[in-house]
């Protein structure tokens, strides 16, 4: 086979030039960090220390594809901070994943862990690939080689991966096995979000959506909205969105719209969420072809006249372009970074209460922490105990953020950043700078 020149071009690593617009997730993180740092009167040196990642790993991953051809993929692992403990964060497989996105996600993990009082630092990983076009065998080889390349980075006391977009329990099982084969012992605390059979925790799969539900109900209570009188729209029907929709419906809310990558589905009388979950599981993992709903666009879903909007798909969905049209009274950010800084201002002016990602979706890392604790103790809890402890921690975090926001007269988002940054800065001050 004669190699094509464009094949050569694709194989060469190029640093993506930083985008300095509001859609760049790392810039979005820095803009919020700036505001919180000013409120905290953060020392200049601390600012520089805390805003940037502490380590960035970029690794080339050769995979023998089913055709026999070797294909190169690019993988990232960014450790933003390990000041509060081992770093923790998911791994994302996507064709458009880029370094700035992983840097932002790693920083958000740092602030998130601090906000919910989990003794971890923040990290994130990504591999530039299209998992939908890969066979299970190709995905396994990619995962094992990515893990092997980063074997000195990962570890239960160093850096602990978890699932994120397009990665799941099976991928965590392959990471666990690759790490354990190299360590010459079974080390199940090296990843979280793994199958229960391998030391996973009951309740982990539902934890992020459950946390979204808990803080949404707490926020509704604060502004006097009764679940039974409230309507909800959820963007994204994956791990986070489908569970949040289901649990909010169980609390009595009327979930009138949900969407996934195939479009949005609306029913003014309320959607049958369990039926939609079953439909999704039975089919190709999407809602394509679901009947008992009217088809609308994803853009229409975001601007529906509902009480609560849960963006639970991806970054940069609520921007300067559509924020003024959003009618929801509460936005609970199931996804990471769904709202840009430009949109924040408009939403605040319009009186919309935004429960920020670093609080709203922290249920996942909280139960990941429980999973890590259980693995290390070799003693496993019941799902009921996991859920009760999760609810308690999410409530406590919501109250702390609400209190920080009220006392400084700032949004919940900046309140959460103030709380998270203050905790990490205080720990850094106590530890001092190693010379
Ligand atoms: P997932 O892959 O299970 O689900 C993503 C969903 O979004 C799918 O239904 C997909 O079809 C849909 N989607 C994709 N593009 C869309 C678009 N343009 N419009 C509407 N829907 C679209 O992923 P997930 O684990 O549910 O993660 C979703 C978000 O939540 C991500 O931002 C992730 O970082 C964040 N998050 C996840 C967890 C977790 O525990 N899974 C924890 C914290 C934060």
């Amino acid at each position: 086979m004669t190699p094509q020149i464009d094949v050569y071009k694709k194989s060469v690593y190029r640093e993506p030039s930083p985008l300095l617009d509001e859609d760049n997730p790392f810039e979005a993180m820095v803009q919020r960090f700036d505001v919180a740092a000013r409120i905290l009167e953060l020392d200049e040196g601390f600012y520089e220390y805390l805003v940037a990642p502490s380590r960035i790993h970029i690794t080339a991953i050769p995979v023998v594809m089913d055709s026999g051809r070797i294909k190169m993929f690019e993988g990232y692992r960014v450790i933003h901070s390990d000041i509060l403990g081992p770093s923790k964060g998911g791994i994302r497989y996507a064709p458009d994943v880029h370094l700035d996105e992983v840097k932002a996600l790693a920083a958000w993990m740092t602030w998130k862990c601090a906000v919910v009082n989990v003794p971890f630092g923040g990290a994130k990983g990504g591999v530039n690939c299209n998992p939908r076009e890969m066979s299970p065998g190709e995905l396994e080889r990619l995962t094992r080689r990515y893990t092997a390349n980063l074997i000195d980075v990962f570890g239960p006391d160093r850096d602990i991966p978890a699932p994120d977009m397009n990665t799941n329990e099976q991928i965590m099982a392959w990471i666990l096995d690759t790490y354990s084969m190299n360590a010459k012992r079974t080390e199940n605390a090296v990843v979280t979000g793994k199958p229960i059979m391998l030391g996973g925790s009951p309740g982990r799969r539902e934890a992020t959506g459950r946390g979204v539900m808990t803080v949404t109900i707490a926020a509704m209570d604060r502004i006097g909205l009764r679940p039974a009188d409230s309507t909800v729209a959820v963007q994204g029907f994956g791990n986070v969105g489908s569970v949040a929709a289901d649990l909010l419906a169980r609390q009595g809310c009327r979930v009138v719209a949900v969407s996934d990558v195939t479009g949005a589905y609306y029913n003014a009388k309320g959607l049958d969420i369990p039926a939609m979950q079953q439909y999704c599981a039975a089919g190709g993992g999407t809602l394509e072809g679901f009947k008992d709903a009217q088809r609308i666009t994803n853009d229409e879903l975001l601007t529906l006249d509902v009480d609560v909007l849960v963006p639970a798909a991806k970054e940069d969905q609520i921007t300067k372009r559509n924020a003024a049209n959003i009618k929801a009274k509460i936005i609970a950010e199931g996804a990471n970074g769904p709202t840009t800084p430009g949109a924040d201002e408009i939403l605040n002016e319009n009186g919309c209460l935004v429960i920020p990602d670093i609080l709203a979706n922290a249920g996942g890392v909280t139960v990941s922490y429980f999973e890590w604790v259980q693995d290390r103790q070799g003693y496993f809890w019941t799902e009921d105990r996991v859920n009760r402890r999760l609810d308690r921690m999410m409530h406590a975090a919501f109250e702390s953020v609400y209190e920080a926001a009220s006392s400084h007269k700032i949004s919940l988002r900046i309140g959460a950043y103030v709380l998270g940054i203050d905790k990490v800065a205080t720990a850094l001050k106590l530890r001092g700078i190693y010379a």
Side-chain angles (χ1 to χ4, degrees), residues 46-237:
F46 273 54
Y47 179 103
E48 284 174 16
Y49 191 124
L50 295 178
V51 76
S54 80
R55 267 162 291 150
I56 295 178
H57 303 272
I58 301 174
T59 183
I61 310 166
V63 176
V64 180
M65 304 302 277
D66 292 347
S67 65
R69 178 188 182 283
I70 298 168
K71 200 170 168 189
M72 297 303 295
F73 295 89
E74 197 169 283
Y76 313 101
R77 185 72 183 169
V78 174
I79 315 287
H80 177 261
S81 168
D82 54 9
I83 292 171
L84 289 179
S87 50
K88 184 89 192 78
I91 297 171
R92 176 173 286 198
Y93 286 178
D96 53 356
V97 71
H98 58 89
L99 192 54
D100 268 358
E101 179 183 352
V102 183
K103 279 163 63 183
L105 289 160
W108 283 324
M109 284 304 295
T110 302
W111 316 133
K112 192 180 299 184
C113 290
V115 164
V116 277
N117 252 330
V118 160
F120 286 142
K124 206 78 180 189
V127 178
N128 209 298
C129 64
N130 189 347
R132 281 180 229 290
E133 290 174 359
M134 294 172 73
S135 70
E138 289 168 344
L139 275 175
E140 177 172 353
R141 293 191 287 280
L142 173 98
T143 303
R144 288 189 183 276
R145 184 58 186 258
Y146 172 75
T147 310
N149 288 2
L150 294 169
I151 206 91
D152 295 330
V153 175
F154 297 144
D157 295 308
R158 290 195 205 109
D159 179 40
I160 309 141
D164 192 73
M165 269 162 72
N166 299 326
T167 55
N168 55 24
E169 292 186 347
Q170 178 59 69
I171 285 173
M172 296 307 112
W174 290 327
I175 296 177
L176 179 160
D177 187 66
T178 307
Y179 186 88
S180 298
M181 287 296 126
N182 280 270
K184 311 245 179 289
R185 63 173 188 281
T186 296
E187 188 51 271
N188 54 10
V190 70
V191 283
T192 59
K194 57 191 168 285
I196 294 206
M197 181 66 87
L198 296 177
S201 176
R204 171 62 185 89
R205 201 182 61 76
E206 300 81 8
T208 309
R210 178 173 288 281
V212 170
M213 178 275 287
T214 305
V215 293
T216 303
I217 298 293
M220 288 169 81
D221 192 43
R222 285 280 180 173
I223 64 167
L225 269 179
R226 280 169 16 105
D229 302 329
S230 304
T231 50
V232 178
V234 181
Q235 185 198 42
F237 203 65

Side-chain angles (χ1 to χ4, degrees), residues 92 105 109 112 124 132 163-167 204-205 207-209 235-242 259-263 280 285-287 298 311-315 317 333-338 357 361-365 368:
R92 176 173 286 198
L105 289 160
M109 284 304 295
K112 192 180 299 184
K124 206 78 180 189
R132 281 180 229 290
D164 192 73
M165 269 162 72
N166 299 326
T167 55
R204 171 62 185 89
R205 201 182 61 76
T208 309
Q235 185 198 42
F237 203 65
N239 177 288
V240 181
S242 68
S259 68
D260 70 5
V261 74
T262 65
C280 219
T286 71
L287 291 166
N298 252 306
K314 49 199 270 196
E315 295 98 56
Q317 297 302 297
E333 293 184 337
N336 286 307
D357 45 8
N361 69 35
V365 75
S368 276

Side-chain angles (χ1 to χ4, degrees), residues 261-304:
V261 74
T262 65
Y265 302 78
Y266 174 78
N267 186 334
K269 293 198 187 104
L271 294 160
D272 182 349
I273 301 297
M276 294 182 102
Q277 285 175 312
Q278 274 169 19
Y279 184 89
C280 219
T286 71
L287 291 166
E288 185 65 62
F290 183 78
K291 292 277 179 282
D292 294 324
Q294 180 193 331
R295 287 294 287 265
I296 57 171
T297 66
N298 252 306
D299 289 345
E300 285 169 330
L301 176 140
L302 295 172
T303 55
L304 280 175

Side-chain angles (χ1 to χ4, degrees), residues 309-327:
L309 174 65
V310 182
K314 49 199 270 196
E315 295 98 56
D316 299 336
Q317 297 302 297
I318 303 172
T319 66
K320 274 196 283 210
R321 290 178 283 281
N322 60 5
N325 300 328
I326 295 215
K327 297 170 195 77

